[in-house]
Each structure stands twice: as structure tokens, then as C-alpha cells.
Amino acid sequence: DVKVTQSSRYLVKRTGEKVFLECVQDMDHENMFWYRQDPGLGLRLIYFSYDVKMKEKGDIPEGYSVSREKKERFSLILESASTNQTSMYLCASSPPTGVRNEQFFGPGTRLTVL
Amino acid sequence: QQPVQSPQAVILREGEDAVINCSSSKALYSVHWYRQKHGEAPVFLMILLKGGEQKGHEKISASFNEKKQQSSLYLTASQLSYSGTYFCGTDTGGFKTIFGAGTRLFVKA
């Protein structure tokens, strides 16, 4: 069974802390994505990666960075957490573009920044 | 840039039909549909490629009007299990899929 896992389901951090969200997929997918999900706004793309060490900004990259050192792992980093980053964060992976780019999502991490 | 979904929410009784629309201002290569149940990850339903294709998944089908850059999701004879939030994702070619804000569907017994 294909799987995307995220390191935590729930996380509570304080303003100014550095936060790491980890995502691992076991499908050998090239593409990986980080989204945040907020009520009424749907899924908004933060960053994506189409290969190891490659990354591209999505629609709302401000305040975030990412790291992809291995194909199966894609990390989202909040350099200095702020309250407006309280949200549900979803990771996804997909096979190479041009094949069938169905995305497989992880269960999400609900982050609260106090 | 985000596709527009309508309606924002819909309430159905079991057995009723529903249509969810997704509209983009950009030329589309493909449209994806996902369903997310409460507390769970979004799950892929189907993808429609440029060419006006129509696809089906059980009693859920979809169409893609390439000229209008619109897609519609049709839910026939709805079941309680159809409840959730439906997202369309649009692809203009490349790596990114841009998702709509979602349509919340409630099916009552």
C-alpha cells in the first residue's frame, strides 16, 4: 500500500521557534509538495520539489523554506514561527509529470503557534 | 490564479444528485478531482486531460470543457459516504497543481 507519512499529527510551538515538519514517501516519486490548508482557502502550495536538492517556490513561500536531501524525504522549515502560520500542513507526492500526476497526500500536521 | 469552485457548500438527501463546478481563467492541461473526508487526507478521484474527456468513478463522473476551461463533477444517487470536501486541481502544464477552495458536501439520511 502506497504511503506518505508526516512526522506529527499535532504540533504546538511558540512564536519565534524554528519548526521542522517532515514528510516521507515510499513510492519512489520524483515530485513532492507542501501545502497549507485553511478554511475557505483550500489547499495552497508553499513549495515543491521535482528532484533531490531541487526546489521551487509555490504560491505562498514567505516565511518557509524546504530541504530535500533524499528522494523519499521532504522537509518544511518555519525559520521563526508566527501565529499566522497556525494551520494544517499537508505533504503530497506524485510520479513524474507527463505520466499520471495524481498526488498522494499524507495525513497532515495541525500546527498551532502560540 | 486559483480556480473557482461552486457551490461552496451543498446539502443533499441520500439518493439525490449534485453537480460541482470548477472554473479557471487559464488554459488548462488537465483537471484533477479529490475528496477529503473530515480529519483525513485528500484522496484522488480522477483526472481529466485536455480533449473534453469524461470519466467515471462508481457513481461519480466528471467532464472537462477545454474551450471554457471548466470542469464539472457529477455525483449521482448520492450516498452517506459521499460526504466530504471536494477539491478541483488545475494543471497548466508543469509540476504545479493549483487547487480550488473546495466544495463541502453533506449527505443526510
Side-chain angles (χ1 to χ4, degrees):
Chain A
D1 212 14
V2 296
K3 227 173 190 178
V4 179
T5 57
Q6 295 183 229
S7 49
S8 307
R9 289 301 302 268
Y10 300 94
L11 208 53
V12 180
K13 295 292 182 181
R14 296 211 173 270
T15 301
E17 280 192 81
K18 192 168 186 175
V19 181
F20 293 87
L21 302 182
E22 305 285 338
C23 174
V24 178
Q25 51 97 1
D26 65 359
M27 295 166 281
D28 202 35
H29 284 166
E30 277 74 8
N31 301 330
M32 296 188 74
F33 308 84
W34 274 107
Y35 297 91
R36 64 177 282 175
Q37 183 175 20
D38 300 288
L41 298 177
L43 301 167
R44 292 181 293 164
L45 182 64
I46 305 170
Y47 267 96
F48 65 99
S49 169
Y50 52 89
D51 202 351
V52 175
K53 297 192 185 293
M54 305 303 288
K55 60 186 179 185
E56 292 284 340
K57 292 181 180 179
D59 298 315
I60 51 165
E62 296 78 21
Y64 304 94
S65 62
V66 290
S67 172
R68 192 163 179 204
E69 296 296 318
K70 293 185 178 181
K71 190 175 186 180
E72 67 270 18
R73 189 179 297 269
F74 191 34
S75 302
L76 180 69
I77 303 153
L78 287 67
E79 296 290 342
S80 177
S82 64
T83 55
N84 63 12
Q85 292 179 310
T86 291
S87 186
M88 171 67 84
Y89 290 87
L90 289 166
C91 174
S93 72
S94 75
T97 303
V99 179
R100 174 188 153 108
N101 50 354
E102 165 188 351
Q103 292 189 27
F104 295 86
F105 285 85
T109 295
R110 184 165 293 283
L111 173 67
T112 301
V113 183
L114 302 175
Chain B
Q1 187 172 349
Q2 188 178 34
V4 177
Q5 284 188 238
S6 63
Q8 289 184 320
V10 59
I11 301 173
L12 299 173
R13 291 196 177 277
E14 266 189 301
E16 291 182 335
D17 302 338
V19 180
I20 300 171
N21 299 302
C22 175
S23 180
S24 174
S25 59
K26 291 181 175 280
L28 299 178
Y29 178 79
S30 66
V31 178
H32 310 206
W33 286 96
Y34 292 79
R35 176 172 62 205
Q36 183 179 31
K37 298 198 174 186
H38 184 68
E40 299 181 9
V43 173
F44 176 81
L45 293 175
M46 64 191 78
I47 182 171
L48 299 104
L49 302 177
K50 188 168 67 170
E53 112 179 73
Q54 186 154 354
K55 293 189 104 172
H57 172 78
E58 299 175 344
K59 291 182 181 176
I60 300 174
S61 62
S63 63
F64 177 23
N65 186 323
E66 184 183 344
K67 289 181 181 177
K68 292 185 177 180
Q69 309 307 328
Q70 290 176 350
S71 179
S72 295
L73 187 72
Y74 306 96
L75 297 100
T76 306
S78 58
Q79 306 168 12
L80 294 175
S81 61
Y82 286 4
S83 292
T85 301
Y86 289 78
F87 294 99
C88 71
T90 55
D91 174 14
T92 56
F95 301 104
K96 292 199 305 185
T97 298
I98 306 298
F99 287 91
T103 295
R104 297 180 72 181
L105 182 78
F106 301 92
V107 181
K108 304 190 295 187

